[in-house]
Coordinates of all heavy atoms in Angstrom, one line a residue:
A141 N 76.6 61.7 29.6 CA 77.4 62.6 30.5 C 76.7 64.0 30.6 O 75.9 64.3 29.8 CB 78.8 62.7 29.9
L142 N 77.2 64.8 31.5 CA 76.6 66.1 31.8 C 76.4 67.0 30.5 O 75.3 67.5 30.3 CB 77.3 66.9 32.9 CG 76.6 68.2 33.3 CD1 75.2 67.9 33.9 CD2 77.4 68.9 34.3
L143 N 77.5 67.2 29.8 CA 77.4 68.0 28.6 C 76.3 67.6 27.6 O 75.5 68.3 27.2 CB 78.7 68.1 27.8 CG 78.7 68.9 26.5 CD1 78.3 70.3 26.7 CD2 80.1 68.8 25.8
D144 N 76.3 66.2 27.4 CA 75.3 65.7 26.5 C 73.8 65.8 27.1 O 72.9 66.0 26.3 CB 75.6 64.3 26.1 CG 76.8 64.2 25.2 OD1 77.2 65.2 24.6 OD2 77.4 63.1 25.1
R145 N 73.7 65.7 28.4 CA 72.4 65.9 29.0 C 72.0 67.3 28.8 O 70.8 67.6 28.6 CB 72.5 65.5 30.5 CG 72.0 64.1 30.8 CD 71.9 63.8 32.3 NE 73.2 63.7 32.8 CZ 73.6 64.1 34.0 NH1 72.7 64.8 34.8 NH2 74.8 63.9 34.5
K146 N 72.9 68.2 29.0 CA 72.6 69.7 28.9 C 72.2 69.9 27.4 O 71.2 70.7 27.1 CB 73.8 70.6 29.2 CG 74.2 70.5 30.7 CD 73.4 71.4 31.5 CE 73.9 71.6 32.9 NZ 73.0 72.5 33.7
R147 N 72.9 69.3 26.4 CA 72.5 69.5 25.0 C 71.1 68.9 24.8 O 70.3 69.6 24.1 CB 73.5 68.7 24.1 CG 74.9 69.3 24.0 CD 75.7 68.3 23.3 NE 76.8 68.9 22.7 CZ 78.0 68.3 22.6 NH1 78.2 67.1 23.1 NH2 79.0 68.9 22.0
L148 N 70.9 67.8 25.3 CA 69.5 67.1 25.1 C 68.4 68.0 25.7 O 67.4 68.1 25.1 CB 69.5 65.7 25.7 CG 68.2 65.0 25.5 CD1 67.8 64.9 24.1 CD2 68.3 63.6 26.2
E149 N 68.7 68.5 26.9 CA 67.7 69.4 27.5 C 67.3 70.5 26.6 O 66.1 70.9 26.4 CB 68.3 69.9 28.8 CG 67.4 70.8 29.6 CD 66.3 70.1 30.4 OE1 66.3 68.8 30.5 OE2 65.4 70.8 30.8
I150 N 68.3 71.1 25.9 CA 68.0 72.2 25.0 C 67.3 71.6 23.8 O 66.3 72.2 23.3 CB 69.3 72.9 24.5 CG1 70.0 73.6 25.7 CG2 69.0 73.9 23.4 CD1 71.4 74.2 25.3
G151 N 67.7 70.5 23.3 CA 67.0 69.8 22.2 C 65.5 69.5 22.4 O 64.7 69.8 21.5
V152 N 65.2 69.1 23.6 CA 63.8 68.8 23.9 C 63.1 70.0 24.0 O 61.9 70.1 23.4 CB 63.7 68.0 25.3 CG1 62.3 67.9 25.7 CG2 64.3 66.6 25.2
A153 N 63.6 71.1 24.5 CA 62.9 72.4 24.5 C 62.7 72.9 23.1 O 61.7 73.5 22.7 CB 63.7 73.4 25.3
L154 N 63.7 72.7 22.2 CA 63.6 73.2 20.8 C 62.6 72.4 20.0 O 62.0 72.9 19.0 CB 64.9 73.0 20.1 CG 66.0 74.0 20.5 CD1 67.4 73.7 19.7 CD2 65.6 75.5 20.2
A155 N 62.3 71.2 20.5 CA 61.3 70.4 19.8 C 59.9 71.0 19.7 O 59.1 70.7 18.9 CB 61.2 68.9 20.4
S156 N 59.6 71.9 20.7 CA 58.3 72.5 20.7 C 58.4 73.8 19.8 O 57.4 74.6 19.9 CB 57.8 72.8 22.1 OG 58.7 73.8 22.7
A157 N 59.5 74.0 19.1 CA 59.6 75.1 18.1 C 59.3 76.5 18.8 O 58.5 77.2 18.4 CB 58.7 74.9 16.9
P158 N 60.1 76.7 19.9 CA 59.8 78.0 20.6 C 60.2 79.2 19.8 O 61.2 79.2 19.1 CB 60.7 77.8 21.9 CG 61.8 76.9 21.4 CD 61.2 76.0 20.5
K159 N 59.5 80.3 20.0 CA 59.9 81.6 19.6 C 60.7 82.3 20.6 O 61.5 83.2 20.4 CB 58.6 82.4 19.2 CG 57.8 81.8 18.1 CD 56.7 82.7 17.7 CE 55.8 82.1 16.6 NZ 54.9 81.0 17.1
L160 N 60.5 81.9 21.9 CA 61.2 82.4 23.0 C 61.7 81.1 23.8 O 60.8 80.3 24.3 CB 60.4 83.3 23.9 CG 61.1 83.8 25.2 CD1 62.4 84.6 24.9 CD2 60.1 84.7 26.0
L161 N 63.0 81.0 23.9 CA 63.5 79.8 24.7 C 64.0 80.3 26.0 O 64.8 81.3 26.1 CB 64.7 79.2 23.8 CG 65.4 78.0 24.5 CD1 64.5 76.8 24.7 CD2 66.6 77.6 23.6
L162 N 63.6 79.6 27.1 CA 64.0 80.0 28.4 C 65.1 79.0 28.9 O 64.8 77.8 29.0 CB 62.8 80.0 29.4 CG 61.6 80.7 28.9 CD1 60.4 80.5 29.9 CD2 61.9 82.3 28.7
L163 N 66.3 79.4 29.2 CA 67.4 78.5 29.6 C 67.7 78.8 31.0 O 68.1 79.9 31.4 CB 68.6 78.8 28.7 CG 68.5 78.6 27.2 CD1 69.9 78.9 26.6 CD2 68.2 77.1 26.9
D164 N 67.6 77.8 31.8 CA 68.0 77.9 33.3 C 69.3 77.2 33.5 O 69.3 76.0 33.7 CB 66.9 77.4 34.2 CG 67.0 77.9 35.6 OD1 68.0 78.5 35.9 OD2 66.1 77.6 36.4
E165 N 70.4 77.9 33.5 CA 71.7 77.3 33.8 C 72.1 76.2 32.8 O 72.5 75.1 33.2 CB 71.9 76.9 35.2 CG 71.6 78.1 36.2 CD 72.3 78.0 37.5 OE1 73.2 77.2 37.7 OE2 71.8 78.7 38.4
A166 N 71.9 76.5 31.5 CA 72.3 75.5 30.5 C 73.7 75.2 30.4 O 74.1 74.1 29.9 CB 71.8 76.0 29.1
A167 N 74.6 76.0 31.1 CA 76.0 75.7 31.1 C 76.6 75.5 32.5 O 77.8 75.4 32.6 CB 76.7 76.9 30.4
G168 N 75.7 75.4 33.4 CA 76.1 75.2 34.8 C 76.9 73.9 35.0 O 76.5 72.9 34.5
G169 N 78.0 73.9 35.7 CA 78.8 72.7 36.0 C 79.6 72.2 34.9 O 80.3 71.1 35.0
L170 N 79.7 72.9 33.8 CA 80.5 72.4 32.6 C 82.0 73.1 32.6 O 82.2 74.1 33.2 CB 79.8 72.8 31.3 CG 78.4 72.2 31.1 CD1 77.8 72.7 29.8 CD2 78.5 70.7 31.2
T171 N 82.9 72.4 32.0 CA 84.3 73.0 31.8 C 84.2 74.1 30.8 O 83.2 74.2 30.1 CB 85.2 71.9 31.3 OG1 84.8 71.5 30.0 CG2 85.2 70.7 32.2
N172 N 85.3 74.9 30.7 CA 85.3 76.0 29.8 C 85.1 75.6 28.3 O 84.3 76.3 27.6 CB 86.7 76.7 29.8 CG 86.8 77.6 31.1 OD1 85.8 77.8 31.8 ND2 88.0 78.1 31.3
S173 N 85.7 74.5 27.9 CA 85.5 74.1 26.5 C 84.1 73.6 26.2 O 83.5 73.7 25.2 CB 86.6 73.1 26.0 OG 86.4 71.9 26.8
E174 N 83.5 73.0 27.3 CA 82.1 72.5 27.2 C 81.1 73.7 27.1 O 80.2 73.7 26.3 CB 81.7 71.6 28.3 CG 82.5 70.2 28.3 CD 82.2 69.4 29.5 OE1 81.9 70.0 30.6 OE2 82.4 68.2 29.5
V175 N 81.5 74.7 27.9 CA 80.7 76.0 27.9 C 80.7 76.6 26.5 O 79.6 77.0 26.0 CB 81.2 77.0 28.9 CG1 80.6 78.3 28.7 CG2 80.9 76.5 30.4
A176 N 81.8 76.5 25.8 CA 81.9 77.0 24.5 C 81.0 76.3 23.5 O 80.5 76.9 22.6 CB 83.4 76.9 24.0
E177 N 80.8 75.0 23.7 CA 79.9 74.2 22.9 C 78.4 74.7 23.1 O 77.7 74.8 22.1 CB 80.0 72.8 23.2 CG 81.4 72.2 23.2 CD 81.5 71.1 22.2 OE1 80.5 70.9 21.4 OE2 82.6 70.5 22.1
I178 N 78.1 75.0 24.3 CA 76.7 75.5 24.6 C 76.5 76.9 24.0 O 75.5 77.2 23.4 CB 76.4 75.5 26.1 CG1 76.5 74.1 26.8 CG2 75.1 76.1 26.4 CD1 75.5 73.1 26.4
L179 N 77.6 77.7 24.1 CA 77.5 79.0 23.5 C 77.2 78.9 22.0 O 76.4 79.7 21.5 CB 78.9 79.8 23.7 CG 79.0 80.7 25.0 CD1 80.4 81.0 25.3 CD2 78.1 81.9 24.8
Q180 N 77.9 78.0 21.4 CA 77.7 77.9 19.9 C 76.3 77.4 19.6 O 75.7 77.9 18.6 CB 78.8 76.8 19.4 CG 78.7 76.7 17.9 CD 78.9 78.0 17.1 OE1 79.6 78.9 17.6 NE2 78.2 78.1 16.0
I181 N 75.7 76.5 20.4 CA 74.4 76.1 20.2 C 73.4 77.2 20.3 O 72.5 77.5 19.5 CB 74.0 74.9 21.1 CG1 74.8 73.7 20.7 CG2 72.5 74.6 21.1 CD1 74.7 72.5 21.8
V182 N 73.6 78.0 21.4 CA 72.7 79.2 21.6 C 72.8 80.2 20.4 O 71.8 80.8 20.0 CB 72.9 79.8 23.0 CG1 72.1 81.1 23.1 CG2 72.7 78.9 24.1
R183 N 74.0 80.4 20.0 CA 74.2 81.3 18.8 C 73.4 80.8 17.6 O 72.8 81.6 16.9 CB 75.7 81.3 18.5 CG 76.3 82.7 18.4 CD 77.8 82.6 18.3 NE 78.4 82.9 19.6 CZ 79.5 82.3 20.1 NH1 80.0 81.3 19.5 NH2 80.0 82.7 21.2
E184 N 73.5 79.5 17.4 CA 72.7 79.0 16.2 C 71.2 79.1 16.4 O 70.5 79.3 15.5 CB 73.1 77.5 15.9 CG 74.5 77.5 15.3 CD 75.0 76.1 15.0 OE1 74.2 75.2 14.7 OE2 76.2 75.9 15.2
V185 N 70.8 78.9 17.6 CA 69.3 79.0 17.9 C 68.9 80.5 17.7 O 67.9 80.7 17.0 CB 69.1 78.7 19.4 CG1 67.7 79.1 19.9 CG2 69.2 77.2 19.7
K186 N 69.7 81.4 18.1 CA 69.4 82.8 17.8 C 69.4 83.1 16.3 O 68.5 83.8 15.8 CB 70.4 83.7 18.5 CG 70.3 85.2 18.2 CD 71.5 85.9 18.8 CE 71.7 87.2 18.1 NZ 71.4 88.4 18.8
D187 N 70.4 82.6 15.6 CA 70.5 82.8 14.2 C 69.2 82.3 13.5 O 68.9 82.7 12.4 CB 71.7 82.1 13.6 CG 73.0 82.9 14.0 OD1 72.8 84.0 14.5 OD2 74.1 82.3 13.9
R188 N 68.6 81.2 14.0 CA 67.4 80.7 13.4 C 66.2 81.5 13.7 O 65.1 81.2 13.3 CB 67.1 79.2 13.9 CG 68.1 78.2 13.3 CD 68.1 76.9 14.1 NE 66.9 76.5 14.7 CZ 66.4 75.3 14.7 NH1 67.0 74.3 13.9 NH2 65.3 75.0 15.3
G189 N 66.4 82.6 14.5 CA 65.3 83.6 14.7 C 64.6 83.5 16.0 O 63.6 84.1 16.3
T190 N 65.2 82.7 17.0 CA 64.6 82.5 18.3 C 65.1 83.5 19.2 O 66.3 83.8 19.2 CB 64.8 81.1 18.7 OG1 64.4 80.2 17.7 CG2 64.1 80.8 20.0
S191 N 64.3 84.0 20.1 CA 64.8 84.9 21.2 C 65.1 83.9 22.4 O 64.5 82.8 22.5 CB 63.7 85.9 21.7 OG 63.3 86.6 20.6
V192 N 66.0 84.4 23.3 CA 66.3 83.6 24.4 C 66.4 84.4 25.7 O 66.9 85.5 25.7 CB 67.7 82.9 24.2 CG1 68.2 82.0 25.4 CG2 67.8 82.1 22.9
I193 N 65.9 83.8 26.8 CA 66.3 84.4 28.1 C 67.2 83.3 28.8 O 66.8 82.2 28.9 CB 65.0 84.5 29.0 CG1 64.1 85.6 28.4 CG2 65.4 85.0 30.4 CD1 62.8 85.8 29.2
W194 N 68.4 83.8 29.1 CA 69.4 82.8 29.6 C 69.9 83.2 31.0 O 70.6 84.2 31.1 CB 70.6 82.9 28.5 CG 71.6 81.8 28.7 CD1 71.6 80.8 29.7 CD2 72.7 81.5 27.9 NE1 72.7 80.0 29.5 CE2 73.3 80.4 28.4 CE3 73.1 82.1 26.7 CZ2 74.5 79.8 27.9 CZ3 74.3 81.6 26.2 CH2 75.0 80.4 26.7
I195 N 69.5 82.4 31.9 CA 70.0 82.5 33.3 C 71.2 81.8 33.5 O 71.3 80.6 33.1 CB 68.9 81.9 34.3 CG1 67.6 82.6 34.3 CG2 69.5 81.9 35.7 CD1 66.6 82.0 35.1
E196 N 72.3 82.4 34.0 CA 73.5 81.7 34.1 C 74.5 82.4 35.1 O 74.5 83.6 35.2 CB 74.2 81.7 32.7 CG 75.3 80.6 32.6 CD 74.7 79.2 32.5 OE1 74.0 78.8 31.5 OE2 74.9 78.4 33.5
H197 N 75.2 81.6 35.9 CA 76.2 82.1 36.8 C 77.6 82.2 36.0 O 78.4 82.9 36.5 CB 76.4 81.3 38.0 CG 75.2 81.4 39.0 ND1 75.0 82.5 39.7 CD2 74.3 80.5 39.3 CE1 73.9 82.3 40.5 NE2 73.4 81.1 40.2
V198 N 77.7 81.4 35.0 CA 79.0 81.4 34.3 C 79.2 82.7 33.4 O 78.5 82.9 32.5 CB 79.1 80.2 33.3 CG1 80.4 80.1 32.6 CG2 78.8 78.9 34.0
M199 N 80.1 83.5 33.9 CA 80.2 84.9 33.2 C 80.6 84.9 31.8 O 80.1 85.7 31.0 CB 81.2 85.8 34.0 CG 80.7 86.2 35.3 SD 79.1 87.1 35.2 CE 78.2 86.5 36.6

Side-chain angles (χ1 to χ4, degrees):
L142 183 63
L143 172 62
D144 289 342
R145 261 187 287 144
K146 294 277 193 184
R147 287 171 158 146
L148 178 57
E149 181 74 14
I150 296 175
V152 171
L154 288 176
S156 65
K159 297 185 180 76
L160 174 61
L161 176 64
L162 311 173
L163 299 178
D164 198 354
E165 303 203 21
L170 299 179
T171 66
N172 284 350
S173 65
E174 290 172 339
V175 167
E177 306 241 5
I178 299 292
L179 268 166
Q180 185 54 34
I181 292 171
V182 175
R183 231 169 259 139
E184 283 176 38
V185 167
K186 173 186 156 115
D187 288 345
R188 284 160 36 130
T190 305
S191 305
V192 180
I193 296 179
W194 191 355
I195 294 173
E196 200 70 71
H197 288 290
V198 183
M199 287 306 141

